[in-house]
Amino acid sequence: MLFKIASIAALASSIAAHMDMTEPCSRFSPYCATRPPLPAGILDYDYSIDNPIPYNGSVFKSEIQWTKPVASWTAGQPVTIKFRPGGAAHSGGHCQFAISYDNGKTAAVVHKVMKHCFFNGPSNSNVADVLEYTFDLPADIPASSNAQFIWIWNNAIGNRELYTGIADITIANSGGSKSYTGKSAIYPNHEGYGSIPEFNGNYNTGLSLFENAPNVVVSPGSSAAPPPVPEYSSSAPQSSAEHNFEATATKNFAERNFYPLSEPIHTSTDSACTHGELQCISGNSGYRRCVWGVWNFIACGAGTACVQTSTNAIVCARV
């Protein structure tokens, strides 16, 4: 049977269009203005980069690094983080920005935007007001040619979800700092970290989780185990019709087959398109997504069909 989509449409979003980090460029995102070549063994860019992270398993879409760093930063200097426009911003929520030196096993928070991430205050909108944040890196963050920058977001309204991005960067520091101590990055709505309830207008919801996070020491070459998770509730997010649909759709996206598109090719039979535009293809066996003026064709997984829920929202639903 075809899963009903009315509940997702009511949220004015789908798993095909959420927020994602484009500067520094998240691993294997196709939506960054510039990006390194794909590493060996990775056949395509991740066109589901803006999907929520599954409840268990890795907290990142990929643990494989870019072939070269996507940004070079300096301790004590300002950095700017940018996000792709057009994604569902779910009325804001809590964002963490962290630095790691061991591919995300341990990560120390260097900046937070609590309550109203992507907005200037309380909002019922699904369209972000804020698409970039600038802040100073700590002056004592150690230098490294192999560091990772991590973005983590828990949305205010809608399904209880977790979104992350991880980018490979270099950091310069002439001061000789060997380590940095800060609050450990945490991943609410993921197994072991508990679930932050839907805010329902109370933007203080879940703040205690971040305030009570343990300190962690990060340093280049470190392979220390992450600190113990504080005694948060470890229960899974509450089930709902919307959550069940999105979990199913996320599985469908994970199972789908990508056409090999290391570098998208614009053919003479293609029509011009607007970046981010989505369309189901004939027969609903997949869909096409416009990336910087080039149509990219993507197949739905076996046993699924493309369903267009709105102009900028598509899911591959099980049939």
Side-chain angles (χ1 to χ4, degrees):
M1 64 176 290
L2 181 66
F3 283 82
K4 295 186 181 299
I5 60 176
S7 58
I8 289 188
L11 292 175
S13 69
S14 82
I15 64 170
H18 288 107
M19 305 303 295
D20 64 278
M21 182 174 68
T22 56
E23 189 176 316
C25 188
S26 292
R27 288 175 181 170
F28 315 144
S29 171
Y31 304 116
C32 305
T34 60
R35 57 187 187 267
L38 291 170
I42 303 297
L43 301 181
D44 199 2
Y45 294 97
D46 183 2
Y47 291 89
S48 64
I49 191 72
D50 49 9
N51 285 10
I53 299 297
Y55 177 68
N56 48 30
S58 175
V59 294
F60 304 116
K61 296 299 293 295
S62 177
E63 296 182 356
I64 301 173
Q65 294 179 277
W66 277 118
T67 50
K68 62 180 181 180
V70 295
S72 297
W73 292 348
T74 301
Q77 298 299 307
V79 296
T80 297
I81 314 305
K82 296 183 180 181
F83 296 87
R84 181 164 60 104
H90 290 288
S91 295
H94 307 315
C95 283
Q96 305 167 77
F97 303 91
I99 294 291
S100 175
Y101 297 94
D102 57 8
N103 207 23
K105 294 182 178 65
T106 55
V109 174
V110 294
H111 188 69
K112 292 189 296 185
V113 180
M114 297 285 99
K115 302 182 180 181
H116 310 301
C117 197
F118 305 120
F119 292 90
N120 294 310
S123 175
N124 291 321
S125 175
N126 215 20
V127 180
D129 294 332
V130 180
L131 290 173
E132 61 181 70
Y133 290 99
T134 299
F135 54 87
D136 289 344
L137 276 184
D140 56 343
I141 202 82
S144 175
S145 61
N146 184 24
Q148 295 81 43
F149 177 77
I150 296 167
W151 157 69
I152 306 163
W153 173 43
N154 294 106
N155 51 309
I157 66 168
N159 300 336
R160 299 298 78 218
E161 293 170 342
L162 168 70
Y163 298 85
T164 68
I166 182 169
D168 300 294
I169 63 170
T170 68
I171 300 174
N173 188 339
S174 59
S177 176
K178 301 299 184 184
S179 65
Y180 175 77
T181 301
K183 286 284 189 180
S184 176
I186 61 172
Y187 304 89
N189 300 340
H190 192 269
E191 186 174 24
Y193 291 90
S195 176
I196 296 178
E198 191 167 14
F199 288 16
N200 292 319
N202 178 8
Y203 282 86
N204 292 320
T205 302
L207 288 182
S208 62
L209 301 184
F210 304 95
E211 294 165 355
N212 295 329
N215 285 337
V216 64
V217 178
V218 294
S219 61
S222 171
S223 58
V229 177
E231 294 300 320
Y232 308 147
S233 167
S234 60
S235 59
Q238 292 183 346
S239 296
S240 65
E242 294 85 357
H243 180 82
N244 289 340
F245 179 94
E246 191 139 341
T248 302
T250 298
K251 183 174 185 290
N252 295 341
F253 268 81
E255 291 175 346
R256 73 188 180 191
N257 298 314
F258 291 106
Y259 288 103
L261 294 170
S262 297
E263 289 297 332
I265 299 175
H266 186 75
T267 68
S268 59
T269 56
D270 287 339
S271 58
C273 61
T274 302
H275 182 65
E277 188 177 356
L278 294 160
Q279 292 180 359
C280 289
I281 64 176
S282 178
N284 296 323
S285 60
Y287 64 94
R288 62 181 188 172
R289 190 168 196 171
C290 183
V291 182
W292 305 117
V294 178
W295 281 117
N296 294 269
F297 293 85
I298 303 169
C300 288
T304 70
C306 180
V307 179
Q308 184 138 10
T309 61
S310 70
T311 303
N312 292 310
I314 278 177
V315 295
C316 290
R318 196 171 296 280
V319 295

